[in-house]
Amino acid sequence: MRRFLPKFGRKKNATCCVFFVRRLRQKRRMRRTTQQTKTHASPMLNIGAHDACVAAASPDANPTQTSITLVKNIIINESNKLPYIHPSGLFGRRMSNPFQHLVEPLNHAEPDKKFYNLQKLNDARYARLPFSIRVLLESAIRNCDGFLVKRTDVDAILNWKVTQNDNVEVPFRPARVILQDFTGVPAVVDFAAMRDAVKRLGGNPEKINPVCPADLVIDHSIQVDFNRREDSLQKNQELEFERNRERFEFLKWGSQAFQNMRIIPPGSGIIHQVNLEYLARVVFDQDGFYYPDSLVGTDSHTTMIDGLGVLGWGVGGIEAEAVMLGQPISMVLPEVIGYKLFGNPNHLVTSTDIVLTVTKHLRQVGVVGKFLSFLALVWHNFLLLTVPLLPTCVRSMVPLQRFSLSIWSAFSIYSKPSRQAYIFLSREEDKVKYIQMYLEAVGLFRDFSNTDQDPDFTQVIELDLSTVVPCCSGPKRPQDKVSVSDMKTDFESCLGAKQGFKGFHIPQEHHNDYVKFAYNNADYELTHGCVVIAAITSCTNTSNPSVMLGAGLLAKNAVEAGLTVKPYIKTSLSPGSGVVTYYLRDSGVMPYLSKLGFDVVGYGCMTCIGNSGPLPESVVEAITQTEPENPPLQESLQPALTPLPPHHYQSYRLTNTEAPATLNLLSPSP
């Protein structure tokens, strides 16, 4: 099989080639038959690799002819927009969709734009289904072919209230796939490997393309090598291209070679914020049909898109490639938990505080393998735009709480608040009109003020927002929530506690040890708990304007109070997209962030995935040096490297406004 793989992608899991190569090896002696068959190619089809195997296994199929025909049918597709054809079309009559009677135009002025009207099922159970289950049902009805998706699957989803407890597996075909560069490159390599195999067979390699639309965002390659300077962004991006030139050249080739695949270039932003701002459709308008946007992604934070009313979650690379090849995902029909927020939060509470509180609550309840649907998200003290952004941030943090071990998706159905957020992001009013028209037609548009629209849930849990307090997490794990008022005592207790998630096992007599070091011709000290990296980063924070602008206002107050950040602390700001930079500049807070060292260093996943770059050598030596009577500081400095909301630490110290002073980004004021 190795000769079918290009030099850049000789992998054991090149699944695209494995389906064909084994059979092709057995048929090498039949080359003459192959040449004769080339002139009698079957009609151009667009089928997935799994279907090819099923067809090849048909007892009525001639082995030699089947092998040749299958490869040709997979590689030859002139328009790449033909509808999915069941493999039985190779050997018999094509099966029709049994729900074709549900198809009707959405707008009679545009009879060519149709949709599957699920309301015409005339089944009372549909109106009681959770909205996320309705998306699964629509996908099953639209893709029902009697083979990969059967009528019994549709019945099982429609009867969710009963089957949710029966461990029933159902197929789901997402509308699209999203990939980041670490996990997306192997997928592109596999498609390139299939093209290489097809070329050796004498076919047209340009006919190999993803069946399901796919987007690949390059955001995991940039590193914080330069900071605290105006040209940090340019310098870091130059190094990014220098280090990843071969990968980027390959991906650029892929962006030009493959149809049905978009590759977002480096420097555009973090995958999930780009997904929210640009890639999300909410409702697809493709091939003459409207249908709900849905996706799977090769990243645990894919669930962020649910805040915009789009059903999605993270999967592995093999599952993602299977979807790209047109195969449905087999999933256990999940329970759906309703989550109700009520009450008014304290004016000092941010959405991040609510996120940490909600995720801790969810861990206690246990929602692994379940869907989560938010109810009544409107309260008086929060801006309208915060309404869809809060669940977005919740879904970004939840994978950190280990809910991503199984299928988990929080689904905030498209509603009036998310409609306004979508208009704010895209400013395409015409698109919003048909989105709302479609969602209202199929019963997917949610009015939170109308409790009659509340569907059935497996369980409903509640949280009183008035009980939420300012908090952070740590010292080691993001799920260990700590109130800001208890932060100092909690960290001090962790120093002497037994080694573990909440302990460093440092003897009491060494709690106040420190190490002196020199940096830029000045002397400094490091002790347990000192911060050496302070980064405003990750999709959790940068997708939320309220906390980003809050950090900017805090920086403004700090500068005006004469406070500074210690020069050896590696500060950085990596926005989720250029939109963040624009509103920070337009609001006038960007100069104050830069004054404190938080210059823009890049657009992508940086410190939050470990791409923080090297620390100053003198700081590294101070952290790692060990003396017999002095335990190293490396262990107790670990919490400073955890990507936590930095604005909490800053506000913690700024209660002391004596000037001039040094802004300590971790230790609270005495």
Side-chain angles (χ1 to χ4, degrees):
M1 186 179 73
R2 292 176 61 85
R3 77 183 190 91
F4 286 94
L5 302 178
K7 293 182 179 179
F8 51 75
R10 290 175 175 170
K11 300 175 53 190
K12 292 182 180 179
N13 66 340
T15 55
C16 300
C17 291
V18 169
F19 290 118
F20 314 113
V21 172
R22 291 178 180 174
R23 183 166 294 277
L24 294 175
R25 278 180 170 174
Q26 300 172 5
K27 313 305 174 187
R28 287 176 178 174
R29 292 190 299 269
M30 310 301 297
R31 294 185 183 277
R32 181 175 300 177
T33 305
T34 303
Q35 295 298 324
Q36 294 173 354
T37 310
K38 283 182 179 180
T39 58
H40 305 286
S42 58
M44 299 174 183
L45 305 177
N46 188 16
I47 66 176
H50 177 69
D51 297 336
C53 293
V54 173
S58 173
D60 301 327
N62 178 280
T64 303
Q65 185 66 30
T66 297
S67 176
I68 298 167
T69 304
L70 284 175
V71 175
K72 284 186 169 294
N73 285 336
I74 291 173
I75 66 175
I76 302 177
N77 179 4
E78 292 296 338
S79 67
N80 199 43
K81 293 184 179 180
L82 294 177
Y84 177 84
I85 296 182
H86 187 273
S88 61
L90 296 174
F91 309 106
R93 187 178 60 185
R94 177 184 174 186
M95 301 180 66
S96 61
N97 190 321
F99 296 97
Q100 199 67 26
H101 63 282
L102 301 180
V103 176
E104 64 179 38
L106 179 64
N107 186 345
H108 291 291
E110 297 179 303
D112 294 335
K113 298 293 186 68
K114 302 177 182 180
F115 74 109
Y116 282 83
N117 189 353
L118 275 62
Q119 304 276 23
K120 291 175 65 176
L121 288 170
N122 297 322
D123 194 315
R125 294 174 296 178
Y126 177 71
R128 305 306 306 166
L129 287 177
F131 289 88
S132 52
I133 301 300
R134 297 182 198 184
V135 175
L136 299 182
L137 178 64
E138 192 281 337
S139 175
I141 288 177
R142 177 167 39 87
N143 295 291
C144 185
D145 58 3
F147 181 70
L148 293 176
V149 182
K150 302 178 182 178
R151 184 153 193 161
T152 54
D153 298 322
V154 174
D155 294 337
I157 299 174
L158 191 58
N159 198 31
W160 168 84
K161 193 169 183 179
V162 175
T163 57
Q164 61 173 313
N165 300 315
D166 295 341
N167 201 34
V168 175
E169 288 193 16
V170 295
F172 174 55
R173 292 190 65 186
R176 59 188 175 98
V177 176
I178 191 167
L179 313 159
Q180 40 97 335
D181 45 330
F182 277 5
T183 52
V185 169
V188 180
V189 167
D190 285 345
F191 274 89
M194 182 185 287
R195 284 195 168 193
D196 186 64
V198 165
K199 184 177 181 180
R200 291 177 182 273
L201 290 171
N204 185 353
E206 294 183 3
K207 306 310 176 185
I208 292 291
N209 294 288
V211 175
C212 180
D215 299 301
L216 192 156
V217 182
I218 304 174
D219 70 334
H220 279 54
S221 303
I222 191 167
Q223 179 175 296
V224 187
D225 291 285
F226 295 90
N227 67 312
R228 289 181 180 258
R229 46 190 292 177
E230 293 182 356
D231 61 347
S232 297
L233 173 62
Q234 179 180 349
K235 292 289 186 182
N236 288 327
Q237 287 183 337
E238 288 175 355
L239 277 177
E240 177 189 15
F241 276 84
E242 181 180 334
R243 291 167 175 157
N244 299 276
R245 178 175 178 176
E246 185 177 0
R247 286 200 316 135
F248 288 174
E249 287 178 346
F250 169 62
L251 289 175
K252 184 176 182 179
W253 166 83
S255 68
Q256 299 170 345
F258 293 109
Q259 300 178 38
N260 227 14
M261 175 184 285
R262 292 186 297 183
I263 297 183
I264 311 301
S268 301
I270 298 176
I271 173 175
H272 307 300
Q273 191 155 349
V274 173
N275 194 17
L276 283 164
E277 294 177 359
Y278 178 71
L279 300 178
R281 281 80 153 178
V282 180
V283 171
F284 260 79
D285 175 11
Q286 186 164 314
D287 299 330
F289 277 87
Y290 294 112
Y291 52 92
D293 187 6
S294 60
L295 72 150
V296 291
T298 55
D299 193 289
S300 59
H301 296 269
T302 303
T303 47
M304 282 185 66
I305 197 62
D306 298 334
L308 202 57
V310 177
L311 184 62
W313 62 82
V315 297
I318 298 298
E319 290 176 281
E321 284 194 41
V323 174
M324 293 171 69
L325 288 168
Q327 305 307 302
I329 291 177
S330 180
M331 57 182 291
V332 176
L333 198 60
E335 296 179 359
V336 181
I337 308 298
Y339 199 94
K340 184 177 182 179
L341 300 172
F342 65 94
N344 293 320
N346 185 283
H347 69 282
L348 295 176
V349 168
T350 70
S351 56
T352 305
D353 299 319
I354 299 175
V355 166
L356 292 172
T357 303
V358 169
T359 49
K360 181 179 180 180
H361 188 199
L362 293 175
R363 283 185 59 83
Q364 295 170 344
V365 173
V367 294
V368 173
K370 303 175 183 179
F371 281 5
L372 182 71
S373 182
F374 280 89
L375 305 171
L377 295 174
V378 180
W379 54 87
H380 299 296
N381 291 347
F382 268 54
L383 295 175
L384 181 64
L385 186 58
T386 306
V387 174
L389 288 178
L390 172 64
T392 298
C393 295
V394 169
R395 289 162 187 123
S396 178
M397 284 296 293
V398 161
L400 300 179
Q401 317 307 316
R402 298 181 183 272
F403 295 149
S404 59
L405 294 177
S406 185
I407 296 175
W408 187 95
S409 178
F411 192 71
S412 175
I413 195 62
Y414 194 76
S415 58
K416 291 181 179 179
S418 56
R419 179 184 185 277
Q420 296 192 26
Y422 190 81
I423 295 174
F424 174 80
L425 292 173
S426 68
R427 293 177 173 83
E428 297 182 47
E429 184 64 41
D430 292 340
K431 181 178 294 186
V432 174
K433 286 181 180 178
Y434 79 69
I435 288 175
Q436 182 169 346
M437 184 182 298
Y438 169 79
L439 294 175
E440 288 177 340
V442 295
L444 285 175
F445 190 85
R446 181 72 167 91
D447 182 1
F448 285 112
S449 63
N450 184 2
T451 56
D452 293 337
Q453 290 189 8
D454 289 347
D456 293 331
F457 292 107
T458 307
Q459 177 187 0
V460 176
I461 55 180
E462 299 180 344
L463 175 66
D464 185 353
L465 293 173
S466 64
T467 63
V468 179
V469 298
C471 55
C472 53
S473 60
K476 297 184 179 182
R477 301 189 304 176
Q479 62 261 38
D480 294 328
K481 183 175 76 74
V482 181
S483 300
V484 170
S485 58
D486 300 330
M487 181 180 173
K488 181 177 180 179
T489 56
D490 181 83
F491 183 74
E492 289 176 344
S493 65
C494 289
L495 285 177
K498 183 179 179 181
Q499 181 71 35
F501 294 130
K502 293 287 288 186
F504 298 102
H505 197 60
I506 297 176
Q508 180 67 36
E509 59 271 21
H510 292 299
H511 283 193
N512 296 321
D513 289 350
Y514 62 90
V515 175
K516 292 184 177 181
F517 69 99
Y519 180 76
N520 286 349
N521 300 321
D523 294 329
Y524 298 96
E525 295 179 354
L526 282 181
T527 186
H528 298 296
C530 283
V531 164
V532 293
I533 295 178
I536 301 177
T537 183
S538 88
C539 41
T540 305
N541 285 323
T542 59
S543 62
N544 193 333
S546 65
V547 295
M548 292 299 294
L549 289 171
L553 292 173
L554 181 63
K556 178 178 181 294
N557 292 338
V559 171
E560 293 175 349
L563 301 177
T564 60
V565 177
K566 294 177 180 177
Y568 64 83
I569 296 177
K570 190 161 190 177
T571 53
S572 62
L573 168 60
S574 52
S577 75
V579 173
V580 179
T581 304
Y582 282 122
Y583 69 65
L584 289 177
R585 286 176 179 170
D586 290 347
S587 62
V589 299
M590 196 68 215
Y592 299 101
L593 288 166
S594 299
K595 187 79 173 180
L596 294 179
F598 291 95
D599 297 279
V600 175
V601 296
Y603 296 96
C605 292
M606 302 181 74
T607 300
C608 53
I609 63 162
N611 290 356
S612 55
L615 292 172
E617 190 62 32
S618 58
V619 176
V620 174
E621 292 176 358
I623 293 174
T624 57
Q625 73 177 22
T626 304
E627 298 178 5
E629 67 279 4
N630 244 355
L633 296 177
Q634 184 173 8
E635 179 66 19
S636 63
L637 280 169
Q638 182 176 352
L641 307 182
T642 304
L644 303 176
H647 56 282
H648 287 307
Y649 298 136
Q650 296 171 2
S651 60
Y652 211 57
R653 180 62 177 177
L654 286 180
T655 53
N656 182 357
T657 56
E658 295 180 3
T662 299
L663 179 61
N664 188 316
L665 294 180
L666 181 63
S667 302
S669 300

